């Protein structure tokens, strides 16, 4: 085991104890080494015995600025009310071997923060506590074992004495970081982990003081906007900026070259940048630009042509990515075969804070202040644009006004760097909402075909899923063609390993639409189709949808799971959640005509969730969602208040998307542009009766950012079928019910 | 020159009279609690009070606010820092996730409670039209009921 100290303790200017930790480039059973090296963190004990705890992950609303310091504070043993939080910048350091990350992997993606930092951050706290105890024991001339801690103090019962951490901090800072891993508290002794904690920044948020990327203001800063090609992979043929330059405040106008068709995306599109002394001046200048566009290679692409292509593909043979047992024989022997196709649209991320970024490129260095989910990606983007050494590019993270996967790509950072480099001055690039809706790495769209074979008893003996989609690895460098399917079909997902004769097949749809990670990526599509299809099987064979699932999920056991969220999963944990939500929604109750419930459940990135939805559908297709019950099993809940928030938010995100949201294309251009035609749900669409339940399991937490989303959409459409007999196989729902029942 | 009051301070603006109040607040007065979300008066992230009524700053031109009294989220608490009951209710219900839209939500909620001190769920749903992309609607609704109770008690 390597246990290398990256930063040792030291004094801060304010006289606090700054513990730079640690420590591990490799720990047995932990794959941190594969993620790029050392992990580090700061604990600072102030003279007034309050503590500042650094957070290395970006806060996008998932609650890491609360949950991460809770892990440290628990083992450090301090009162939570005495903790304040500091956002760490990107910790990039150049070594002889390349680059390393002194605060560990920094990013917000894949619901990994709590899972990946659970052991490490508790160790940070416990190590700091160990060092404080060592100083006290040395002063009192007793063994460290004769001392214990109480929040903020080291206590020696034998001597009947106690001392505050702040009185020990200066000496503790001089100690080498202990080489032995400190013992952790027993779960029964937790006074912070597992207790509800409010958002740490809440007072700043409700008083308008919280700083997001868009609020960055640096003396001498310019403001920029870009008119990007409205055509997918279009280019600027020529432009006339004479009117734009007349707008008071406009200082410069120039072309920005985007990637050529098929090339990796450093930025999304070619365009024309307008630089000004205020945001409004830049926007006004942009409005009067005259640009002649080369409409590019996708000018005939449309949503209609996309679905036509997908249907043609499904009539042929695709890439078989999983093939268990003998599907064809099992289907041939089946006494009943059920089949259905489902359509999943492109969707836009639409975080509330439109993309923006501050960059100042100077001689030999650059500064970035960005709302980003991937600060190392931001650093890399600026290096690509400028050619600067990565260690000379500083990346500061702000609070982020929503991520949802959009800010895993740093195209807007690269754009800002291009502009700052060109004008030789600091700049804040601002996207409008229209820019954001029309230029995104959209959630992939796809056509799914499912087929199941059942025996005489209604047991499912064969299962196949065939998907024709435009995958999110499109134009990603260094991805082999045969691996393109991987983020679209997670081949170990249920019902793989449960149904013995199973085949999964992928077809690549050609499209010029940029694609990327959208909260719970392919789980949103696959949960919808699989959980819808289970109900279709149940109805076709006269079985109860809940009982069918309980039978398939089976007894508690770990199944191998090779994709993100593994290495194992236990489908029985879904059964436990389903029974809970079914009970809470009164699943078996008799309901009046037009009123019914639906259920669904899904395993996402290590966590388990289930939803039950009660709806009423009128004779003319008006939908009224009466009640939603959501339950999650994320192991142990570090911050139950935060877990509930993510479950509520994920549920509402999934609901909003299923009800309303679709990005369409006509003549190679995205049709939607703003919230009037990309209609995120408002409160009136969300039922007041939305319950959340946490069912603890085991002794470790999983993440929570994405689990709450996938199963709400199929629970809703299963409820709709039960209420009115209309099966929704195409998202979003929109006015399908009114059309079907008219 | 356009003159008006922001958070009880007199301000004057001599730029383009079509400049939305949003950008005057943000770029010129550095009051960044009022957020840009859509620019078309749809999402409500830029909600402020103009002469006491909730209004969208992104579609309020400078020329339209001459002589008006504007309150932003920064001016909602008392000068001594005592929070408005709606702000306190947002804390008590732990409403925010990313937090970006919440200033606008709070300004809308204050206006709602000023005109309807005891709103039903339906009243809240019909008046609270601001978008929250994180999906905090359940807690927003609870926080409004809580603030309603506090304000009616006069505490």
């Amino acid at each position: 085991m390597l246990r290398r100290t990256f930063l040792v303790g030291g004094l801060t200017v304010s006289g606090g104890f700054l513990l730079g930790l640690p420590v591990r480039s490799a720990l047995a059973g932990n794959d941190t080494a594969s993620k790029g090296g050392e992990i580090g963190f700061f604990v600072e004990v102030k003279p007034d015995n309050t503590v500042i705890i650094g957070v290395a992950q970006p806060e996008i609303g998932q609650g890491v600025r609360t949950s991460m310091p809770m892990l440290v504070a628990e083992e450090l043993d301090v009162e939570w009310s005495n903790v304040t939080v500091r956002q760490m910048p990107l910790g990039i350091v150049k070594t002889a071997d390349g680059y390393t990350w002194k605060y560990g992997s920094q990013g917000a993606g894949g619901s990994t923060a709590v899972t990946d930092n659970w052991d490490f951050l508790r160790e940070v706290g416990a190590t700091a506590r160990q060092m404080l105890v060592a100083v006290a024991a040395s002063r009192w001339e007793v063994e460290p074992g004769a001392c214990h801690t109480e929040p903020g103090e080291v206590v020696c019962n034998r001597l009947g004495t106690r001392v505050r951490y702040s009185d020990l901090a200066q000496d503790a800072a001089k100690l080498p970081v202990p080489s032995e891993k400190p013992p952790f508290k027993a779960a029964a002794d937790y006074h912070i982990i597992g207790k509800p904690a409010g958002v740490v920044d809440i007072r700043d948020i409700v008083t308008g003081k919280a700083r997001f990327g868009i609020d960055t203001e640096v003396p001498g800063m310019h403001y920029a906007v870009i008119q990007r090609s409205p055509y997918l992979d279009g280019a600027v043929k020529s432009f006339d900026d004479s009117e734009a330059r007349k707008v008071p405040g406009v200082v410069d106008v120039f072309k920005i070259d985007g990637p050529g068709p098929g090339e990796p995306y450093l930025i999304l599109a070619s365009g024309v940048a307008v630089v000004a002394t205020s945001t409004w001046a830049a926007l006004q200048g942009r409005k009067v630009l005259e640009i002649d566009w080369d409409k590019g290679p996708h000018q005939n692409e449309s949503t209609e042509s996309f679905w036509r292509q997908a249907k043609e593909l499904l009539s042929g043979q695709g890439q078989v990515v999983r093939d268990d047992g003998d599907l064809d024989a099992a289907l041939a022997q089946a006494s009943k075969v059920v089949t259905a196709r489902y359509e999943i649209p492109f969707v836009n991320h639409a975080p509330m804070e439109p993309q923006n970024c501050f960059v100042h490129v100077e001689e030999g260095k650059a500064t970035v202040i960005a709302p980003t989910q991937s600060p190392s990606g931001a650093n890399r983007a600026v290096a690509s644009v400028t050619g600067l050494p990565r260690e000379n590019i500083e990346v500061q993270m702000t609070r982020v006004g929503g991520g949802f996967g959009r800010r895993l790509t740093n195209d807007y950072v690269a754009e800002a760097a291009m502009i700052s480099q060109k004008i030789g001055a600091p700049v804040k690039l601002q996207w409008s909402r229209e820019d954001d809706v029309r230029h995104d790495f959209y959630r992939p769209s796809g056509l799914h075909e499912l087929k199941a074979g059942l025996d005489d008893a209604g047991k499912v003996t064969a299962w196949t899923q065939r998907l024709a989609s435009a995958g999110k690895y499109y134009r990603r460098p260094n991805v082999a063609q045969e691996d393109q399917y991987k983020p679209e079909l997670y081949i170990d997902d249920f019902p793989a390993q449960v149904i013995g004769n199973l085949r999964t097949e992928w077809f690549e749809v050609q499209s010029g639409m940029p694609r990327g990670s959208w909260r719970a990526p392919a789980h949103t599509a696959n949960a919808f189709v699989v959980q819808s299809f289970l109900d279709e099987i149940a109805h076709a064979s006269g079985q109860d949808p809940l009982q069918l699932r309980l039978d398939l999920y089976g007894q508690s056991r770990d199944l191998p799971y090779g994709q993100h969220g593994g290495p194992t999963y236990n489908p029985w944990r879904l059964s436990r959640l389903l029974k809970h939500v079914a009970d809470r929604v009164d699943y078996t109750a008799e309901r009046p005509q037009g009123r019914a419930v639906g259920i669904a459940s899904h395993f996402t990135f290590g966590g388990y969730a289930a939803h039950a939805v009660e709806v009423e559908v009128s004779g003319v297709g008006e939908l009224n969602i009466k009640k939603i019950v959501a339950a999650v099993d994320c192991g142990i809940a570090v911050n139950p208040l935060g877990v509930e928030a993510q479950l509520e938010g994920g549920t509402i995100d999934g609901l909003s998307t299923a009800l309303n949201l679709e990005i369409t294309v006509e003549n190679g251009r995205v049709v939607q542009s703003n919230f009037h035609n990309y209609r995120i749900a408002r409160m009136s669409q969300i039922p007041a009766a939305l319950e959340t339940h946490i069912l603890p399991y085991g002794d470790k937490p999983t993440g929570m950012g994405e689990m709450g989303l996938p199963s709400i959409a199929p629970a809703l459409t299963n409820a709709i079928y039960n209420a009115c007999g209309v099966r929704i196989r195409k998202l979003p729902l929109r006015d399908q019910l009114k059309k079907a029942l008219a | 020159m356009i003159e008006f009051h922001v958070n009880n301070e007199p301000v004057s603006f001599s730029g383009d009279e079509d400049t939305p109040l949003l950008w005057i607040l943000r770029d010129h007065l550095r009051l960044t609690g009022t957020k840009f979300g859509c620019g078309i008066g749809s999402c409500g992230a830029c909600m402020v009070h103009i002469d006491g009524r909730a209004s969208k700053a992104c579609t309020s031109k400078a020329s339209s606010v001459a002589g008006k009294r504007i309150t932003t989220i920064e001016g909602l608490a008392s000068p001594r820092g005592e929070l408005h009951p709606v702000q306190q209710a947002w804390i008590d219900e732990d409403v925010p996730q990313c937090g970006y839209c919440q200033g606008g939500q709070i300004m809308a909620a204050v206006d709602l409670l000023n005109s309807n001190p005891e709103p039903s769920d339906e009243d809240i749903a019909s008046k609270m039209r601001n978008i929250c992309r994180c999906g905090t609607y359940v807690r927003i609704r609870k926080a409004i009921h809580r603030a309603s109770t506090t304000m009616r008690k006069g505490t």
Side-chain angles (χ1 to χ4, degrees), chain A residues 59-63 197-199 202-203 205-212 214-217 223 277-280 283-284 348-354 399-402 404 428 430-434 518-519 639-646 648-650 652-653 657 674-676 678-684 686-690, chain B residues 13 16-20 23-24 26-28 30-45 56 58 72-77 80-83 86-88 90-103 105-106 121 124-126 128-142 144:
Chain A
E59 175 62 70
I60 60 174
Q62 84 282 45
V199 172
I202 198 161
R203 194 178 169 98
I205 292 170
V206 303
T207 54
K209 293 192 187 100
R211 291 284 174 160
F212 296 81
I214 197 172
D215 304 326
T216 301
E217 183 68 43
Y223 299 77
T277 55
S278 71
T279 313
W280 182 243
L283 287 167
Q284 292 304 98
N348 169 230
H349 296 84
M352 283 313 291
E353 179 185 12
R399 192 175 185 85
V400 185
F404 312 104
K428 182 169 71 180
Q430 182 64 55
W431 288 40
S432 66
R433 177 58 56 192
E434 288 80 3
W518 190 97
R519 193 179 194 180
N639 178 12
L641 208 50
V643 167
E644 286 165 8
Q646 288 305 302
E648 285 167 14
I652 291 171
D653 194 355
T657 308
N674 204 321
F675 293 133
H676 65 290
Y678 192 72
R679 302 172 76 91
I680 307 276
R682 297 174 198 254
M683 195 190 287
S684 55
I686 306 303
L690 196 167
Chain B
F13 177 72
D16 174 8
E17 295 198 352
D18 287 343
T19 306
W23 297 111
I24 299 175
R26 291 186 54 81
D27 286 357
H28 298 270
R30 311 283 187 239
L31 289 168
T32 54
T34 303
K35 298 300 191 218
F36 170 51
C38 69
I40 61 168
S42 174
C43 75
K56 286 156 185 160
C58 76
T72 71
I73 186 69
E74 291 94 337
L76 192 61
R80 287 177 300 167
E82 290 160 3
L83 297 181
V86 171
Q87 290 171 309
Q88 187 57 52
W90 246 245
I91 293 175
D92 294 338
E93 293 293 345
D94 197 46
V95 173
Q97 289 183 32
C98 88
Y100 191 80
C101 74
Q102 299 297 345
Q105 301 278 6
I106 289 169
D121 278 346
I124 294 171
S126 72
M128 291 295 292
R129 299 287 301 156
N130 294 24
I131 294 175
C132 173
R133 177 69 181 82
C134 296
T136 63
Y137 296 127
V138 175
R139 295 187 188 193
I140 288 175
R141 194 184 270 115
K142 286 182 190 163
I144 291 173

Side-chain angles (χ1 to χ4, degrees), chain A residues 233-575:
Chain A
D233 282 321
V236 179
K237 259 197 237 169
S238 64
F239 68 98
D240 178 350
D241 61 4
S242 50
E243 290 303 310
R245 286 181 181 274
K246 288 179 194 163
V247 172
V250 170
V251 298
D252 207 351
V253 181
F254 47 87
K255 198 168 99 166
I256 298 278
D257 288 320
E263 289 179 5
Y265 294 108
L266 176 58
I267 63 174
L268 266 169
S270 296
V272 176
V274 179
V275 182
T277 55
S278 71
T279 313
W280 182 243
L283 287 167
Q284 292 304 98
R286 178 170 84 163
K287 204 188 276 183
V288 293
L289 283 173
E290 297 274 356
I291 305 174
D292 187 15
W293 298 107
D294 173 346
K295 296 180 184 173
H298 309 291
Q299 56 188 289
N300 296 319
E301 180 169 342
S302 66
T303 299
E304 194 193 342
S305 71
F306 181 96
W307 292 123
R308 200 166 50 233
Q309 196 192 146
K311 282 171 193 154
E312 281 167 15
L313 285 169
L314 285 187
S315 68
Q317 181 80 48
Q319 178 189 2
V320 174
V321 298
R322 184 174 186 122
D323 199 3
D324 297 348
D326 189 338
L327 178 79
D328 297 327
L331 282 173
Q333 289 161 17
S335 59
K336 183 184 279 291
V337 173
V338 183
T339 186
R341 285 185 175 188
Y342 303 89
E343 294 176 32
I344 305 293
F346 287 111
V347 293
N348 169 230
H349 296 84
M352 283 313 291
E353 179 185 12
Q355 313 314 328
N356 64 81
C357 182
F358 170 88
V359 176
H360 190 189
V361 180
E362 298 173 83
E363 189 63 42
K365 65 170 186 172
T367 306
V368 180
I369 306 174
T372 178
Q373 291 178 249
S374 173
S376 64
N379 174 285
R380 194 168 52 238
V382 176
S384 296
V385 170
T386 60
L388 287 167
R390 294 190 64 182
E391 67 276 19
N392 292 2
I393 300 165
E394 178 190 347
V395 179
Q396 298 173 29
M397 285 182 273
T398 63
R399 192 175 185 85
V400 185
F404 312 104
R406 173 61 181 87
R407 289 171 162 117
L408 289 168
T409 45
N410 286 277
D411 51 303
Y412 54 97
V413 178
E415 288 177 340
M418 289 172 177
I419 296 168
S420 177
Q421 186 172 42
K422 177 86 162 60
I423 65 174
V427 71
K428 182 169 71 180
L429 171 69
Q430 182 64 55
W431 288 40
S432 66
R433 177 58 56 192
E434 288 80 3
D435 296 337
D436 180 71
V437 174
R438 288 184 168 146
H439 302 281
D440 191 5
F441 296 89
Y442 301 96
R443 183 186 72 178
S445 173
L447 177 63
H448 298 246
E449 181 182 274
L450 280 90
K451 189 181 286 188
L454 282 66
D455 67 14
D456 286 337
K459 186 168 184 286
V460 183
T461 54
W463 177 286
T464 179
Q465 180 177 4
R466 306 168 77 229
L467 166 62
S469 71
K472 81 170 187 183
Y473 276 175
Y474 172 60
R475 292 164 79 159
R476 189 175 288 204
N478 307 318
V479 178
Q481 181 58 37
E482 66 264 27
D483 291 336
Q484 292 281 334
Y485 79 90
K486 285 187 172 171
E488 314 312 316
L489 289 163
Y490 308 124
I491 57 170
D492 292 342
D493 269 0
F494 176 85
Q497 312 170 82
V498 170
I499 297 171
N501 303 300
L502 176 142
R503 185 185 297 151
T504 315
E505 202 174 335
W506 188 64
F507 305 75
E508 182 175 36
V509 179
Q510 300 301 316
S511 165
M513 286 286 273
R515 286 94 77 175
S517 301
W518 190 97
R519 193 179 194 180
H523 286 301
T524 62
N526 291 317
F528 176 70
V529 303
V530 169
Q531 293 291 319
S532 293
F533 194 56
L534 286 176
D535 266 45
E536 298 218 42
I537 291 169
H539 294 304
S541 57
Q543 302 184 69
D544 173 67
L546 173 60
Q547 191 58 47
L548 176 72
R549 284 173 176 79
L550 300 181
D551 292 344
L552 285 167
Y553 291 154
Q555 297 301 308
S556 179
R557 80 271 189 220
D558 284 334
L559 296 176
Y561 191 85
Q563 292 88 53
H564 179 49
T568 60
Y569 91 111
N570 181 347
W572 169 86
R573 290 167 70 175
L574 294 170
S575 289

Side-chain angles (χ1 to χ4, degrees), chain A residues 6-7 21-22 37-42 55-57 88-93 100-106 117 120-121 397:
Chain A
F6 203 87
L7 293 168
L21 269 177
E38 290 76 8
I39 299 176
F41 212 81
F42 291 120
V55 178
Q57 315 304 330
M88 314 291 278
L90 177 67
I92 185 169
V93 174
T100 189
W101 313 95
K102 63 182 178 187
Y103 315 130
S105 172
Q106 291 180 271
N117 289 292
F120 168 59
L121 290 182
M397 285 182 273

